[in-house]
Amino acid sequence: MDKFLIKGGYPLAGVVTISNAKNAALPILAAALLTEGKTVIKKCPRLEDVTAMSGLLRVLGAKVKRSGSDLVVQAAGPLSGFAPYDIVRKMRASFCVLGPLVARLRSAKVSLPGGCVIGPRPVDLHLKGLQALGVRITIDGGYVLADASRLRGGTIYLGGPFGSTVLGTANVMMAATLARGTTVIENAASEPEVVNLVECLTRMGARIRGAGSSRLEIRGVERLKGCTIELIPDRIEAGTFMVAAAITHGDVVIKGLRLDHLHAVVDKLREVGVGITPVGRNACRVTADGRFRPVDVATLPYPGFPTDLQAQLMALLTLAEGVSVITEKIYPDRFMHVAELARMGANIRKEGPHAIISGLPKLSGAPVMASDLRASAALVLAGLAAEGETEIRRVYHIDRGYEHIEKKLARLGAQIRRLPDDQPIPQS
Ligand code: EPU
C-alpha cells in the first residue's frame, strides 16, 4: 500500500489533460458481454477499477486485452453466468454484469455487492427493473439468482428515495436491448455516462431513444454486434483539477474536458469566486486569488451538483470567508472526509445529511487516512493548500479512479510524492 506525501502552499500552474471517464468505462465494459463481437474501448483509462472489471469479465469467459491506450473485449463464448462475491464485493459497478448476463445467457448468479464505505447502496431498483422485464429473481446465500427464460419488454418507473439510479438504469437498459418487445424506463438517469453507454449500445445495433432524458425507450433486437466506442472525458477528474487550481490560488489550463457536462460545477465554483474561462471548445483556464466566498450547495442527480465532487468542494470551502452548507442528497452518509479534514484544522459540523463548514484562513498539514475514492481526492486537495506536510495513507483508493494523479499534479508544480506506506518519511 502506498501513501502520498504533500508539501502544501505551492500554486499550481500549467496545462493538464483530463483522462476518460471511469464511470463511463465500467458499464461499457459490462456491455461488451452482450455480444460475441469485439468491443474496442478507445483511450480506456488505466485505473484499478478498470483492471478489476476486466478481471471479472475474464472470470466470466471474455477475452480482455490492452492495445496501446485502447481496451479490447471479446465475449465470443462460452460464457459463465457466475459472478463471485470475492470480486463483486470489491467494486459495486461489477453488479452491472447482471443485466448483460441475463440477456445473453437467460440466467445468471451474481453476488450482491454488500457494504460500502459511503453508506448503504441498495440494488433493489436494479432488481425491480429486471423483474419488470420478466426476469425471475431469487436471493439465496448472498447471491441474486436470475432466470430470464421469458425476457420481454416492460414499462418501469426506476426511482427510489434518492431519485434516479445510474447503474440501475444501465443494468436494466442493457438487459432490455435483447428482450422481446419494447421497454420504457421512466425516471431514467440522464448522466453523461448513461448517454455514453447508449451510444455504445446503439453502435452495437441496439435501438434506444431518449438518451439524456428521464425517459428511455428500448426496442429489443435479436442480437448485437461488436463496436468501437470513444469514452467521454471524466467530468469528476475535471472538477477535481478545477478545485486543485483554485485551492492553491493557481493558474491552470485544463484540457480535454466537456464543459457542457460541468454546468452545475462551474456555476458553483464561480459563486465561490473561482475564475473559469473557456479556452476553445474542450479546455478552460482556472484561476483564483484572495479568500473564497461561502456557498450553500446540495448534491443532486445530473444535471445537479454531483455527489462525486462533494468532498472536493468541501475541501475548498474549509478556506472560505464565512459559513457554507453542503447537503448530501444522494448518499446522506458520504462524509468520511469530515473527520480527516478536521485533523488538518478544518471547522466542520455534521448534522444528518448536512455539513456546516466555517471557513478558516488556513489549514495545516497532518497525517490523514483516505477512506474512499472521492474522500481521498479531497484530502489531496486540502494537502496542496495546507501549511506544512500532509501524509495521506491508503491512497489505493485514489488509484481506483484517478489516472496518475500525483504525476499530473507534480507537472503543475505540486510537491507531491508517492511512497510505500512502510517507508519512513524522509527528513527535509
Ligand atoms: N439507490 C437505491 N436503490 C438502487 C440503486 C440506487 O435506493 O437499487 C439509491 C442509492 O443508494 C443512492 C441513489 O439511489 O442514494 C443513487 O445511486 P446510483 O444507483 O445512481 O449510484 P450508482 O449507480 O451505484 C454511480 C457512480 C457513483 C456515483 C453515483 C451517483 C459508477 C460506477 N458509480 O453509482 O460513483 O456516486 O452513480 O452519481 O458509475 C464514484 O465514482 O466515486 C462513485 C461512487
Side-chain angles (χ1 to χ4, degrees):
M1 260 190 255
D2 291 348
K3 64 186 172 194
F4 282 162
L5 202 58
I6 303 173
K7 216 186 273 180
Y10 294 84
L12 300 190
V15 179
V16 64
T17 303
I18 295 308
S19 301
N20 282 341
K22 160 183 93 77
N23 289 349
L26 298 177
I28 285 177
L29 274 160
L33 292 170
L34 285 163
T35 168
E36 292 180 1
K38 236 181 226 176
T39 304
V40 180
I41 304 172
K42 304 292 285 178
K43 291 197 192 142
C44 190
R46 291 173 196 273
L47 299 169
E48 285 304 316
D49 274 8
V50 167
T51 306
M53 189 60 126
S54 304
L56 174 58
L57 295 189
R58 287 193 186 101
V59 164
L60 296 172
K63 290 205 170 78
V64 187
K65 64 173 192 335
R66 274 264 164 207
S67 170
S69 59
D70 304 342
L71 203 61
V72 183
V73 186
Q74 188 161 23
L79 293 184
S80 151
F82 177 58
Y85 176 57
D86 264 356
I87 300 183
V88 180
R89 75 182 165 83
K90 290 188 195 135
M91 189 185 59
R92 296 184 56 85
S94 35
F95 195 68
C96 251
V97 299
L98 179 60
L101 287 177
V102 291
R104 181 90 185 268
L105 304 175
R106 305 283 147 157
S107 75
K109 181 174 177 181
V110 174
S111 170
L112 285 161
C116 179
V117 73
I118 67 178
R121 292 178 74 184
V123 290
D124 56 315
L125 296 172
H126 299 234
L127 302 183
K128 179 180 154 190
L130 292 173
Q131 280 166 328
L133 303 186
V135 181
R136 277 190 295 150
I137 302 278
T138 324
I139 309 288
D140 187 29
Y143 280 83
V144 174
L145 311 181
D147 170 6
S149 40
R150 286 189 310 277
L151 194 65
R152 41 141 181 83
T155 295
I156 165 137
Y157 177 81
L158 216 52
F162 303 101
S164 52
T165 161
V166 175
L167 293 178
T169 301
N171 230 341
V172 177
M173 174 168 64
M174 288 191 279
T177 57
L178 293 176
R180 185 183 288 262
T182 300
T183 298
V184 174
I185 305 177
E186 298 285 0
N187 201 38
S190 62
E191 269 69 2
E193 293 75 17
V194 176
V195 177
N196 205 184
L197 175 62
V198 171
E199 191 195 340
C200 171
L201 295 170
T202 306
R203 282 166 182 264
M204 288 175 167
R207 299 171 73 186
I208 304 172
R209 291 207 323 220
S213 79
S214 62
R215 184 177 192 276
L216 285 171
E217 189 181 308
I218 305 123
R219 277 206 266 159
V221 296
E222 277 288 309
R223 62 177 49 80
L224 296 174
K225 57 182 192 301
C227 78
T228 297
I229 179 75
E230 298 256 353
L231 298 175
I232 55 170
D234 196 315
R235 62 193 168 101
I236 306 302
E237 189 197 6
T240 303
F241 274 95
M242 285 179 180
V243 177
I247 205 167
T248 60
H249 295 111
D251 185 345
V252 174
V253 172
I254 304 177
K255 277 173 49 176
L257 48 59
R258 289 267 309 253
L259 277 173
D260 58 326
H261 291 167
L262 284 154
H263 287 304
V265 175
V266 169
D267 186 65
K268 206 39 83 177
L269 289 178
R270 283 187 175 145
E271 207 181 316
V272 171
V274 181
I276 301 176
T277 323
V279 182
R281 276 185 52 211
N282 298 320
C284 70
R285 180 175 172 208
V286 182
T287 53
D289 51 51
R291 290 288 299 278
F292 304 111
R293 290 190 287 271
V295 290
D296 273 10
V297 61
T299 62
L300 289 167
Y302 189 81
F305 191 90
T307 172
D308 291 344
L309 282 170
Q310 179 257 107
Q312 298 90 317
L313 180 67
M314 189 183 295
L316 186 65
L317 295 177
T318 62
L319 294 168
E321 196 161 23
V323 178
S324 300
V325 179
I326 292 183
T327 303
E328 179 50 74
K329 289 201 166 182
I330 309 287
Y331 297 115
D333 296 326
R334 192 178 202 176
F335 285 117
M336 299 291 284
H337 41 286
V338 167
E340 300 302 303
L341 288 172
R343 301 202 75 249
M344 301 177 72
N347 185 347
I348 307 168
R349 191 155 52 87
K350 194 181 124 9
E351 277 192 14
H354 310 286
I356 298 143
I357 306 128
S358 305
L360 297 164
K362 66 178 177 65
L363 294 173
S364 59
V368 288
M369 194 77 86
S371 57
D372 72 79
L373 171 57
R374 308 305 173 187
S376 323
L379 297 177
V380 169
L381 295 169
L384 293 174
E387 270 182 7
E389 275 194 348
T390 297
E391 179 197 341
I392 306 175
R393 294 221 178 132
R394 296 198 186 164
V395 297
Y396 64 86
H397 288 292
I398 215 162
D399 296 332
R400 294 184 60 173
Y402 289 89
E403 204 175 32
H404 314 307
I405 190 169
E406 79 277 22
K407 289 188 185 144
K408 287 186 178 183
L409 287 168
R411 264 183 243 127
L412 294 173
Q415 300 292 306
I416 177 168
R417 273 187 301 161
R418 181 188 286 264
L419 298 171
D421 208 1
D422 49 8
Q423 191 168 314
I425 296 174
Q427 298 303 310
S428 53

